[in-house]
Amino acid sequence: MNMGKIIALANQKGGVGKTTTTINLGASLATLEKKVLVVDADPQANTSSGLGIDVRKVDISIYECLIGEGKIAEAVCDTELHTLKVIPSHINLVGAEIEMLDMPKRERILRNLLHDVKDDYDYILIDCSPSLGLITVNALTAADSVVIPVQAEYLSLEGVSKLLNTIKIIKKRLNPALDIEGFLVTMYDSRLRQSNQVYDELKNHFRELVFKTVIQRNVRLSEAPSYGIPTILYDADSTGARNYMNLAKELISKNEK
């Protein structure tokens, strides 16, 4: 694989494990010696801080890049893992959608920006905000595929169908090559009938598009971000770290046949 694959992590429902997945899938891929760039496209900037970036001290974030005041290469920051880089977010990103409205080809800005660095990485992961605004449209237009995290507590297929509809529109109008990489069941608890029901229902609907790996509920996953490190560096033997390592291996085997 010589060109990087751009994968957006999206679900307009918040709290489904999107940021956790971006951080830990990125770190696991990097641990497996892949070159990874994480793009934090969520104004909350939780992915950035979870990877050890102090967003108050960042000069050039994704925000400056999107509004044409910074270059992508200048926005790339190092993390604790030498093959894992991040382009941080900033609360200003909230206003970027309005500033971008007047720009030509406003849905393709991120795609054009990432084009310059695509060859430098094996995987580029974009953490989308839990909304379907212009920034998320940019992410989906830039992406080759989408990972959709779904919380095992209850399956709102209604929420999923909204996102699938958005993906369909983007495929039709902006990015015909956009694929679904897979649905990822997060916050899974095998003791709960509900968790198993959600997994089974997803399997029935989406078959081979559901990752075999499920992400179990794990306290380590929620503790690690406050230390600014991915779970694999916080507790490599934890269930959460192992789940994400398995997900990374599954993703690689799917993409590097």
Side-chain angles (χ1 to χ4, degrees):
M1 210 171 65
N2 51 358
M3 275 183 83
K5 180 164 198 185
I6 302 180
I7 302 175
L9 289 96
N11 190 333
Q12 78 281 7
K13 190 184 171 321
V16 295
K18 201 157 34 60
T19 296
T20 304
T21 298
T22 309
I23 292 171
N24 292 294
L25 175 57
S28 298
L29 288 166
T31 305
L32 294 166
E33 300 187 341
K34 299 296 170 192
K35 288 190 283 212
V36 183
L37 175 65
V38 165
V39 179
D40 190 352
D42 184 344
Q44 291 173 7
N46 291 336
T47 296
S48 306
S49 56
L51 286 170
I53 308 295
D54 182 347
V55 285
R56 292 162 309 186
K57 294 186 176 151
V58 166
D59 292 326
I60 298 176
S61 69
I62 192 66
Y63 166 73
E64 282 77 16
C65 297
L66 286 168
I67 62 162
E69 287 178 10
K71 290 192 164 61
I72 277 282
E74 297 168 347
V76 175
C77 299
D78 293 330
T79 71
E80 297 276 327
L81 292 160
H82 76 280
T83 59
L84 178 64
K85 310 289 182 196
V86 59
I87 293 178
S89 182
H90 194 278
I91 189 68
N92 288 349
L93 197 57
V94 171
E97 309 219 333
I98 293 163
E99 298 179 61
M100 288 161 72
L101 285 177
D102 289 337
M103 295 184 175
K105 298 199 170 150
R106 59 185 182 210
E107 295 90 358
R108 298 177 194 275
I109 295 169
L110 185 57
R111 185 188 184 105
N112 295 336
L113 288 170
L114 291 178
H115 191 267
D116 296 341
V117 295
K118 200 173 175 179
D119 297 347
D120 301 339
Y121 299 95
D122 298 310
Y123 293 96
I124 297 177
L125 305 179
I126 310 175
D127 187 17
C128 300
S129 81
S131 81
L132 293 175
L134 183 56
I135 307 273
T136 299
V137 168
N138 260 269
L140 294 171
T141 304
D144 299 304
S145 67
V146 197
V147 167
I148 303 170
V150 178
Q151 195 179 343
E153 257 78 284
Y154 59 94
L155 179 55
S156 114
L157 266 179
E158 185 187 355
V160 171
S161 64
K162 216 186 217 161
L163 177 63
L164 291 177
N165 200 36
T166 303
I167 291 170
K168 209 161 93 184
I169 293 167
I170 285 172
K171 265 181 88 96
K172 204 162 120 184
R173 302 199 185 145
L174 295 163
N175 183 6
L178 185 63
D179 283 324
I180 290 172
E181 188 71 42
F183 291 86
L184 175 68
V185 176
T186 61
M187 303 174 201
Y188 181 85
D189 183 342
S190 55
R191 295 165 307 189
L192 297 180
R193 213 176 77 221
Q194 223 173 354
S195 275
N196 294 305
Q197 278 173 337
V198 168
Y199 188 79
D200 293 342
E201 202 176 330
L202 265 180
K203 275 303 255 188
N204 287 337
H205 271 84
F206 302 110
R207 309 205 181 273
E208 73 287 347
L209 285 178
V210 183
F211 284 107
K212 291 186 187 72
T213 306
V214 297
I215 308 299
Q216 289 159 278
R217 271 207 169 286
N218 178 240
V219 69
R220 291 288 187 255
L221 285 175
S222 44
E223 287 171 357
S226 59
Y227 294 93
I229 51 174
T231 312
I232 200 163
L233 295 180
Y234 179 63
D235 182 354
D237 290 330
S238 64
T239 306
R242 288 205 306 266
N243 288 165
Y244 277 110
M245 188 51 89
N246 289 337
L247 178 65
K249 288 174 179 165
E250 190 177 341
L251 186 77
I252 289 169
S253 72
K254 225 172 140 174
N255 282 287
E256 301 184 22
K257 287 192 183 86

